[in-house]
Amino acid sequence: MERKRTVYMDHAATTPVRPEVVEAMNPYFSERFGNPSSLYALAREAKEAIEEAREAVAAAIGATPEEIYFTSGGTEADNWAIKGAALRGKGDHIVTSAIEHHAVLHTCEVLEKQGYRVTYLPVDEFGRVEPATVEEAITEKTVLVSVMAANNEIGTIQPVRAIAEVARDHKVPFHTDAVQAIGAFPVDVDEMGADLLALSAHKFGGPKGVGALYVRRGTRIGTFMDGGAQERGRRAGTENVPGIVGLGRAIELAVAGMPQSAPRLAAMRDRLIRGVLDEIPDTRLNGHPTERLPNNVNVAFRYIEGESILLMLDALGIAASTGSACTSASLEPSHVLTSCGLPPEHAHGSLRLTLGHRNTEDDVDYVLEVLPGIIERLRAISPLRGEA
Amino acid sequence: MERKRTVYMDHAATTPVRPEVVEAMNPYFSERFGNPSSLYALAREAKEAIEEAREAVAAAIGATPEEIYFTSGGTEADNWAIKGAALRGKGDHIVTSAIEHHAVLHTCEVLEKQGYRVTYLPVDEFGRVEPATVEEAITEKTVLVSVMAANNEIGTIQPVRAIAEVARDHKVPFHTDAVQAIGAFPVDVDEMGADLLALSAHKFGGPKGVGALYVRRGTRIGTFMDGGAQERGRRAGTENVPGIVGLGRAIELAVAGMPQSAPRLAAMRDRLIRGVLDEIPDTRLNGHPTERLPNNVNVAFRYIEGESILLMLDALGIAASTGSACTSASLEPSHVLTSCGLPPEHAHGSLRLTLGHRNTEDDVDYVLEVLPGIIERLRAISPLRGEA
Amino acid sequence: MAEQVGYSQKVMEHFMNPHNVGAIENPDGYGKVGNPVCGDIMEIFIKVKDDVIEDVRFRTFGCGSAIATSSMVTDMARGKTLEEAMAITRDDVATELDGLPPKKMHCSNLAADALHAAIEDYRGKQKKE
Ligand SMILES: Cc1ncc(COP(=O)(O)O)c(C=O)c1O
Ligand SMILES: Cc1ncc(COP(=O)(O)O)c(C=O)c1O
Ligand code: FES
Ligand code: FES
């Protein structure tokens, strides 16, 4: 097989920054470089740019600008939401799901070591949390319910609104990690019932290292990053001005483009899924058949291991992933796939393809052309196939 | 008075990103945009770029690459060092100084609310910590000594090595906030005796929103940002690749240029100080006369208030500051100046001019030309002058 | 030195075109290590004549490094005496491949272990006979 094109299909890991976004950021490095906290004209320019970005983020998720706090990414937003709620809450119990991103799970585990109790809600075979399980899990001591809007590995969209309603009935704040949701489907904090919501610019055409936490007015959370009086005293640290400007521009573009991009991506996704399942035996779709991110394909190939698939794809110019990029350094099977009931050996053989802005139908063709051969070659050297 | 030029003299607040740094960063937004945790070629490029930056940072401060962890800035590095040491230490006491940056002070205050005790060491009239006071303050319960390498407001350089030795004698880890020190004077973690050291790119020609924490091998600190396995499992969050690349390039340039830049800035600094003290009555220098950052001028003008000086300077094209940028939103007199024994009314009338790369002797001339008139105009309307 | 990022050229060559793939019918020795739960299984088959490994084949379920180390270890074992083959260590395999990332060193461990298991199996059978 020879390399015919370069295809990036790992947009759930990160996306290229859009040219319009880079352009918007550029003046803030060396020209309008003022520290937004200062008083002079140069600083005011920076401050105004930040406030414009704040309005853009607020508008994109149906919030008010005063409810938006900029962070260094999705991970910080999740850490802050959870540790901040724990710090201020009058209890010691947190409810979350078994398939959260590690930014949520590992934060909860750290809190467990400090004496908090955490309920990790199970999911069904498609990766969905059942809202009734939230009802059962909440106690008098619960300080936070945190369930992601959409999963980064298998793309399953959660019934967030129903979960939020349960939390609200119990007067427990509700956090949602919407890092994968922004730009994929309409996100409105009121419709979702979110009190806290995390997002990250690099997942929708913005730069890495910048994100935001939405904090509904009146939600009590402690600070996470302590220091200067930036972000109205709630998130210290000199603001990443170019990054924040980039986040603002990227979210505008992503949300404005959604009516076109979502159906376009979903059509490619469906063609990929159908093509793979039809052409390659012993294969199953991971995640939900319909309640699924428009750009997410995740399939399990029996008898083979995911990393070796990735390497062969890479050699043919295709960038893909086995699960969340953060765990690719680990040798554990994906916690998301095993939570959905996949036996570990199938979990090990899963491939995630996530589509984006630059992908075309030709990219889909190319993947469908080379993938069957790769799977066949790897199965030919696998000791497992014979056994089945 | 009419505006003759534009002069930025607030480099302690932030610096413009150097063109070479912007150039180094540029390819990592839209071309080499891979997520460093992924496996394919695009991701390896990003990963390699990060590792090169790590080597550059390590080389700049006499550390090994494995001891460098990238953060979202100086504030995060300080938060991590202090909260991380508190989490892992076998005690509940922290020793720091009264003139630390808020990233240290407010972090300590948050820990106080959680039951830790904090000793805030006093400073002399020049803003220096006496190492003997560290000896007196340390107890069996001390988990960290944290004293900054150089102060951001008054530029005073601390006797860090002597302080570190006291800490080491008691087997207490020593953290130093070196945010203002990098590029100003040689920083070597071994010579300083630092176990932890915070730095921030935007203070030396790099971008905002990225910094690093040095962690000496064997120093026990807990994590601060929990989530994915980035930074060898110790600092989660998708890496800010362009920012980290920028930090690497900026620290290289800053440290390589120091033999030329430090004496050049110091000469301008001294001319400014002498000019102001000679030309303007009822004025005193804040900070240390010799143990001082090469780019820092900080003077107290009796009878008047700092913000009004800044506004007049701004109208004439000069960007300056009264203290740290982070406190400019507050109405409190500077904690640094009052800790040095300045009465609040003098503290309110202080002006900080901090020089940088782009400043020239003409800038110095211009400031010395317009400042006396500004001070005179403001004093003319002050009710305090009459009282003296 | 910063730690190795990604795989060497040599690893990729062996991964993309592995040598000695497959099973041997009625092998003289057979070794199997690993566990599908951990994401890796390695099988090595050997044919032995006059104490020399005459033929050696493998099957592997695992990552790129597991496949490359299987290919390399079988190349290294071919034509060696049993004693020489027993002396092959995981570091030897990694070195022949121009190094492995630190997290992947255990894969070369597996390859050496599977080879040694096949030799032990052969020796065990010899004793019985
Ligand atoms: C669902 C989810 N949450 C959180 C994160 C972390 O965001 P960031 O990489 O900006 O720290 C990611 C991506 O890495 C994600 O996919
Ligand atoms: C001494 C000192 N420490 C910490 C900081 C915080 O660094 P950052 O702005 O990168 O968060 C600053 C500057 O703001 C500083 O001057
Ligand atoms: S007089 Fe305006 S801040 Fe006090
Ligand atoms: S076989 Fe387990 S990671 Fe290589």
Side-chain angles (χ1 to χ4, degrees):
Chain A
M1 270 178 283
E2 92 195 84
R3 176 174 182 149
K4 297 216 189 95
R5 53 195 293 133
T6 301
V7 174
Y8 183 74
M9 280 204 193
D10 200 15
H11 292 83
T14 195
T15 60
V17 184
R18 292 220 202 173
E20 306 93 311
V21 171
V22 176
E23 207 177 298
M25 296 169 68
N26 265 336
Y28 294 91
F29 290 110
S30 310
E31 296 144 49
R32 299 188 212 151
F33 65 86
N35 187 317
S37 301
S38 303
L39 284 170
Y40 33 81
L42 189 69
R44 279 194 301 276
E45 274 175 15
K47 179 79 180 149
E48 278 160 14
I50 290 181
E51 296 316 318
E52 263 177 50
R54 201 184 308 282
E55 280 171 36
V57 173
I61 62 171
T64 62
E66 302 75 45
E67 294 172 312
I68 305 298
Y69 297 90
F70 294 113
T71 68
S72 64
T75 297
E76 183 186 333
D78 282 331
N79 270 258
W80 182 9
I82 297 167
K83 292 174 183 170
L87 212 60
R88 279 298 171 83
K90 295 204 179 69
D92 61 1
H93 178 235
I94 292 166
V95 176
T96 188
S97 88
I99 59 151
E100 297 295 309
H101 189 268
H102 283 142
V104 169
L105 288 182
H106 287 165
T107 298
C108 287
E109 285 161 19
V110 163
L111 289 176
E112 280 187 288
K113 286 198 198 119
Q114 291 169 27
Y116 287 83
R117 286 176 317 109
V118 180
T119 303
Y120 299 94
L121 301 170
V123 293
D124 65 20
E125 61 177 311
F126 305 117
R128 294 259 289 186
V129 171
E130 174 53 59
T133 62
V134 180
E135 179 73 48
E136 283 158 36
I138 288 181
T139 74
E140 298 259 289
K141 297 281 192 185
T142 308
V143 295
L144 185 72
V145 172
S146 178
V147 176
M148 71 201 314
N151 184 271
N152 46 303
E153 288 190 40
I154 55 175
T156 301
I157 296 170
Q158 297 298 337
V160 161
R161 193 204 172 113
I163 294 168
E165 270 169 20
V166 177
R168 182 152 302 176
D169 286 348
H170 292 269
K171 298 201 165 49
V172 175
F174 174 66
H175 169 56
T176 189
D177 174 340
V179 167
Q180 294 287 342
I182 303 290
F185 58 86
V187 169
D188 181 290
V189 289
D190 289 339
E191 272 183 30
M192 276 187 162
D195 299 307
L196 299 158
L197 179 145
L199 58 89
S200 177
H202 74 101
K203 305 291 186 180
F204 49 80
K208 295 174 180 62
V210 60
L213 182 65
Y214 158 81
V215 182
R216 182 179 294 279
R217 197 185 314 249
T219 305
R220 288 166 55 84
I221 62 164
T223 55
F224 174 62
M225 198 75 82
D226 295 300
Q230 291 91 350
E231 298 293 282
R232 288 145 286 147
R234 296 184 77 173
R235 197 282 185 183
T238 301
E239 299 89 337
N240 175 355
V241 181
I244 290 170
V245 167
L247 165 55
R249 191 78 188 95
I251 205 167
E252 265 171 14
L253 290 170
V255 170
M258 205 154 53
Q260 284 78 50
S261 64
R264 191 181 81 89
L265 297 176
M268 292 199 278
R269 170 197 69 187
D270 293 338
R271 200 153 74 81
L272 267 173
I273 293 176
R274 228 173 311 113
V276 170
L277 297 186
D278 288 355
E279 294 300 318
I280 309 177
D282 292 330
T283 301
R284 62 162 270 186
L285 180 69
N286 295 317
H288 202 282
T290 57
E291 293 299 301
R292 169 172 213 110
L293 287 173
N295 74 335
N296 177 290
V297 176
N298 191 318
V299 276
F301 299 99
R302 291 198 68 175
Y303 316 127
I304 56 178
E305 197 272 341
E307 195 209 88
S308 50
I309 310 175
L310 294 193
L311 288 176
M312 292 232 171
L313 285 171
D314 186 29
L316 292 172
I318 301 169
S321 160
T322 47
S324 85
C326 307
T327 50
S328 64
S330 105
L331 310 174
E332 306 273 297
S334 148
H335 68 283
V336 176
L337 295 178
T338 51
S339 297
C340 297
L342 244 73
E345 62 272 30
H346 292 206
H348 276 296
S350 288
L351 173 71
R352 179 184 77 179
L353 298 165
T354 44
L355 298 152
H357 202 57
R358 294 182 185 171
N359 288 133
T360 62
E361 295 287 345
D362 288 347
D363 292 342
V364 173
D365 288 339
Y366 182 53
V367 170
L368 289 177
E369 179 193 329
V370 301
L371 194 55
I374 289 175
I375 303 301
E376 186 43 41
R377 277 175 70 179
L378 288 169
R379 284 181 174 166
I381 56 175
S382 169
L384 295 178
R385 174 146 65 173
E387 290 173 7
Chain B
M1 273 178 282
E2 98 198 76
R3 176 174 182 150
K4 295 214 191 97
R5 53 197 292 130
T6 301
V7 173
Y8 183 73
M9 280 204 192
D10 200 15
H11 292 84
T14 195
T15 61
V17 184
R18 290 217 205 176
E20 305 94 311
V21 172
V22 176
E23 208 176 296
M25 296 169 68
N26 263 336
Y28 294 90
F29 290 110
S30 310
E31 296 143 48
R32 301 187 212 151
F33 64 85
N35 187 319
S37 301
S38 303
L39 283 171
Y40 34 79
L42 188 70
R44 281 196 299 275
E45 275 175 15
K47 176 82 178 147
E48 277 161 11
I50 289 181
E51 296 314 318
E52 263 178 47
R54 201 186 306 283
E55 283 174 34
V57 173
I61 62 170
T64 62
E66 302 75 45
E67 295 172 315
I68 306 297
Y69 298 89
F70 294 114
T71 68
S72 65
T75 297
E76 184 186 333
D78 282 331
N79 270 259
W80 181 9
I82 298 168
K83 291 174 184 169
L87 212 59
R88 279 297 170 85
K90 296 201 178 73
D92 60 1
H93 178 234
I94 291 166
V95 176
T96 188
S97 87
I99 60 151
E100 297 295 310
H101 189 269
H102 283 141
V104 169
L105 288 182
H106 287 166
T107 299
C108 287
E109 285 161 20
V110 164
L111 289 175
E112 280 186 289
K113 285 199 198 117
Q114 291 169 27
Y116 288 82
R117 284 177 320 108
V118 181
T119 303
Y120 300 94
L121 301 170
V123 292
D124 65 18
E125 61 177 311
F126 306 116
R128 295 260 287 184
V129 171
E130 173 54 58
T133 62
V134 180
E135 180 72 49
E136 283 160 34
I138 289 181
T139 74
E140 299 259 288
K141 297 283 193 185
T142 308
V143 295
L144 185 73
V145 173
S146 179
V147 176
M148 71 201 315
N151 183 271
N152 47 303
E153 288 190 40
I154 55 174
T156 301
I157 297 171
Q158 297 297 338
V160 161
R161 192 201 172 115
I163 293 168
E165 271 169 18
V166 176
R168 183 153 301 177
D169 286 348
H170 291 270
K171 298 200 165 52
V172 175
F174 174 65
H175 169 58
T176 190
D177 174 340
V179 168
Q180 294 287 339
I182 303 291
F185 58 85
V187 168
D188 181 288
V189 289
D190 289 337
E191 273 183 29
M192 274 185 163
D195 299 306
L196 300 158
L197 179 147
L199 58 88
S200 176
H202 74 100
K203 305 290 186 178
F204 49 81
K208 295 174 180 61
V210 60
L213 181 66
Y214 157 80
V215 182
R216 183 178 293 279
R217 197 186 314 248
T219 306
R220 288 166 54 86
I221 61 164
T223 54
F224 175 62
M225 198 75 81
D226 295 300
Q230 292 91 351
E231 297 292 282
R232 288 147 285 147
R234 297 184 74 173
R235 198 281 186 186
T238 302
E239 299 89 338
N240 175 354
V241 183
I244 289 170
V245 167
L247 166 55
R249 190 80 189 97
I251 205 167
E252 264 171 13
L253 291 170
V255 170
M258 206 156 49
Q260 284 78 50
S261 64
R264 192 182 81 88
L265 296 176
M268 291 199 280
R269 170 197 69 187
D270 293 339
R271 200 154 75 80
L272 267 174
I273 292 176
R274 226 173 313 114
V276 170
L277 296 185
D278 288 356
E279 294 301 317
I280 308 177
D282 291 330
T283 301
R284 61 162 273 184
L285 179 68
N286 295 318
H288 201 281
T290 57
E291 293 299 301
R292 171 174 211 108
L293 288 172
N295 74 336
N296 176 290
V297 175
N298 192 317
V299 277
F301 300 99
R302 291 197 67 177
Y303 315 128
I304 54 178
E305 199 273 336
E307 196 207 87
S308 50
I309 310 176
L310 294 192
L311 290 177
M312 290 224 175
L313 285 170
D314 188 28
L316 292 172
I318 301 169
S321 158
T322 47
S324 84
C326 311
T327 51
S328 64
S330 99
L331 308 174
E332 304 272 298
S334 147
H335 67 285
V336 176
L337 296 177
T338 51
S339 297
C340 296
L342 246 74
E345 63 273 27
H346 293 206
H348 273 299
S350 288
L351 173 71
R352 180 183 75 178
L353 297 164
T354 44
L355 297 152
H357 205 57
R358 293 182 185 172
N359 286 133
T360 63
E361 295 288 344
D362 287 349
D363 293 342
V364 173
D365 289 339
Y366 182 53
V367 170
L368 289 176
E369 180 193 327
V370 302
L371 193 57
I374 290 176
I375 303 299
E376 186 43 43
R377 277 172 70 178
L378 289 169
R379 282 180 174 168
I381 55 173
S382 168
L384 295 177
R385 173 141 73 169
E387 289 172 10
Chain C
M1 260 304 284
E3 78 177 35
Q4 183 174 342
V5 176
Y7 291 133
S8 70
Q9 193 61 38
K10 199 87 165 271
V11 171
M12 285 309 292
E13 280 164 24
H14 276 268
F15 167 72
M16 291 302 290
N17 293 296
H19 308 169
N20 313 312
V21 174
I24 296 176
E25 296 282 324
N26 305 316
D28 297 328
Y30 169 71
K32 178 175 177 181
V33 296
N35 182 334
V37 175
C38 311
D40 42 45
I41 290 184
M42 220 176 267
E43 285 178 331
I44 287 192
F45 307 80
I46 54 174
K47 273 279 187 209
V48 180
K49 192 173 179 194
D50 300 335
D51 234 31
V52 169
I53 297 181
E54 213 177 29
D55 194 11
V56 49
R57 309 235 157 230
F58 81 89
R59 288 198 303 205
T60 290
F61 162 74
C63 68
S65 144
I67 290 169
T69 55
S70 315
S71 168
M72 179 52 86
V73 85
T74 49
D75 268 3
M76 289 168 73
R78 181 180 297 277
K80 287 219 166 60
T81 65
L82 293 178
E83 204 173 320
E84 287 165 348
M86 274 310 273
I88 296 172
T89 68
R90 69 163 181 168
D91 288 335
D92 298 337
V93 181
T95 306
E96 283 296 317
L97 285 166
D98 296 341
L100 284 172
K103 285 210 167 70
K104 295 292 182 175
M105 283 303 290
H106 90 268
C107 315
S108 56
N109 217 0
L110 276 180
D113 287 354
L115 174 65
H116 298 165
I119 296 171
E120 297 290 2
D121 176 54
Y122 167 76
R123 285 180 171 164
K125 282 185 196 154
Q126 292 296 101
K127 269 188 204 141
K128 269 187 220 153
E129 279 168 17

